[in-house]
Amino acid sequence: MTSQQEIINFAVGLAVFWAITYIMSRVLRLEKYGLTVQPAYIRYESSRFRRLLYKASERGRGLWKTYSNLGIALAAGQMVYAVYFLLDNLVRFIQPGGGPSPVLPILPGITVRTYWLPYLLFAVAIAIITHEAAHGIVARTEGIPIKSAGAILLLVLPGGFVEPDEEKFENASTTSKLRVLAAGSSINLLTGLLALLLLSTLFSRASSGAVIIETVEGGPLDAAGIQRWDVIYAVNSTPVRSVWELAEYLDGASPGDPVLLSTSRGDILIILGEASGEGAERVWSMLGAAPPFMNYHESRLGLGSSFNIHLYLTLYWSFTVFLSIAVMNMLPLYPFDGERFLYTLLRRFTGSERWLQIAVNVFSLCLIAANMIMSFMRNLILI
C-alpha cells in the first residue's frame, strides 16, 4: 500500500469514526454519563480520576514537596533551554550546512507519517495524562482544590485535564503557584529520561541490521514479499549492520544483478531493478526501497525482531515526545505553562506589568513561528 493510499484510508476512517461517534452521542444522550462529544472533540469528566489524585497527594507529602521544589529549578532551566534551542535553530537555518531541527505541529499525513501514529499517540497520551496528574497532585499538596479531572480526545490526540480551583490558585503564595505550574513539565522531563534509560538498557548500542519501512510497489523487495518492519541482516552472506552498510555494500552493484538477502523472513533472492540517482539513492532505487530508513537494534529480551522493533520505536517516540513537551511547554507563550510561570515571577518582582507579559508572548510567538516557517521552506517534514 502506498503512502498516499494510507493517508486517504486514514482520513476516511477518521471522518467515519467522528461522524458515528457524534451521532451516537446524540442518540444515547451521553452527557448524563459525564461524556461531552463535539465534532472532533470528546471530553470525559471522571470523578474517579479526581479521587485518585486526592489519594496520591495524601501519600508521601514530603516526597511531593521535594519534587515540586526541584521542579521549579527544572522548569526554569527548561524555559531557558526552550528559548535557546529556538534561537540556535534559527541560526542553523541561516547558516549553510547548519543542520537545523524541524519545528512543526503534529499533522497526521503531513508532518507525521501515518505508521508512526500508534507510537506517537501512545507517547502523547502518557505525556499529557502524567503532566496533568502532576499538576493536580502538587496543587492538592499546596492546599488548592481540584474542581474537575478527566480525559479528552482532540481529533486523534488523546490526553487528560485537571482543573484546579482558579480562585484558590490565584490567592496562593508565589512559591505554591510556581510549584504547581512547574510540576507538569518536570514529570515529562523525568519520564523522558526514564524512557532513555530503558532504551539504552534494553537495547544494544550497536545496530545489527537494516529495517525496511517503505517499499516501492512492484519493486524487487515488494515482489519478493519483503514488508514493512522486515530486517535485512546480510547481503550475499556478508553482514550489514546498518542502513549505510547496506548501501555501501550494494554501491558497486548493477541492475539485473542477483542478490541474496538474509532477512527476518529467511534467505530471499532478488534481482536488482533499474537504477536512478547517485550514491545511496541509486541503491535504494535498485532495491525498490524508499525513505525513511532505520537501523535495527537487538534487544536483550530475546523476543524476536518484530517485538524488538515495536518496543524500540515505542521507547524512542516516548523519549522524543516526553522531552519535547517538557521543553516546549515551558516556552513563555500562552497557553503553555511557561507563560504563566514567567508571569508569576515577573509579577512577584516587578508588579503586574501587562505590557511586559504581552512583549514576552509576542517574542516567543515570533520565535516559534519563524522556526515553523523555515521548517516548511526547507521541506523539513517527516512525510
Side-chain angles (χ1 to χ4, degrees), residues 193-205:
L193 295 176
L194 175 61
L196 178 61
L197 177 63
L198 289 173
L199 197 61
S200 59
T201 301
L202 295 177
F203 288 89
S204 171
R205 184 180 299 271

Side-chain angles (χ1 to χ4, degrees), residues 65-127:
K65 283 288 186 181
T66 302
Y67 161 76
S68 57
N69 286 331
L70 175 63
I72 294 176
L74 292 176
Q78 289 160 229
M79 179 182 296
V80 172
Y81 181 76
V83 175
Y84 164 78
F85 168 78
L86 293 174
L87 284 171
D88 180 66
N89 208 47
L90 276 180
V91 174
R92 291 175 181 271
F93 274 116
I94 298 170
Q95 290 179 338
S101 300
V103 178
L104 296 165
I106 298 174
L107 301 173
I110 299 175
T111 61
V112 178
R113 292 179 172 91
T114 54
Y115 47 76
W116 297 139
L117 281 181
Y119 315 102
L120 179 63
L121 295 181
F122 171 81
V124 169
I126 298 299

Side-chain angles (χ1 to χ4, degrees), residues 226-349:
I226 296 293
Q227 299 177 10
R228 182 173 295 157
W229 314 129
D230 286 343
V231 183
I232 297 176
Y233 299 107
V235 180
N236 294 335
S237 300
T238 300
V240 287
R241 298 178 180 84
S242 68
V243 171
W244 305 117
E245 282 192 13
L246 173 62
E248 185 178 17
Y249 181 89
L250 291 173
D251 188 48
S254 302
D257 288 352
V259 172
L260 180 64
L261 302 178
S262 297
T263 75
S264 51
R265 291 180 178 271
D267 291 344
I268 296 176
L269 181 67
I270 68 169
I271 305 299
L272 296 179
E274 294 298 321
S276 62
E278 298 179 354
E281 184 180 347
R282 176 177 174 274
V283 172
W284 307 136
S285 67
M286 289 192 296
L287 283 172
F293 302 102
M294 172 182 165
N295 292 334
Y296 174 69
H297 293 266
E298 187 76 29
S299 81
R300 295 180 169 84
L301 302 177
L303 296 175
S305 62
S306 180
F307 177 87
N308 290 340
I309 290 169
H310 296 304
L311 178 60
Y312 184 92
L313 286 171
T314 299
L315 291 174
Y316 169 79
W317 276 105
S318 295
F319 163 71
T320 303
V321 169
F322 294 168
L323 261 67
S324 297
I325 290 178
V327 172
M328 297 310 296
N329 183 64
M330 289 311 300
L331 185 70
L333 174 66
Y334 181 83
F336 299 149
D337 289 333
E339 191 262 358
R340 208 167 181 184
F341 184 92
L342 181 60
Y343 184 59
T344 299
L345 283 174
L346 293 176
R347 189 166 54 181
R348 172 68 176 81
F349 294 107

Side-chain angles (χ1 to χ4, degrees), residues 168-179:
K168 295 288 185 181
F169 177 84
E170 289 299 331
N171 291 332
S173 67
T174 298
T175 303
S176 291
K177 291 178 185 177
L178 293 177
R179 286 171 178 162

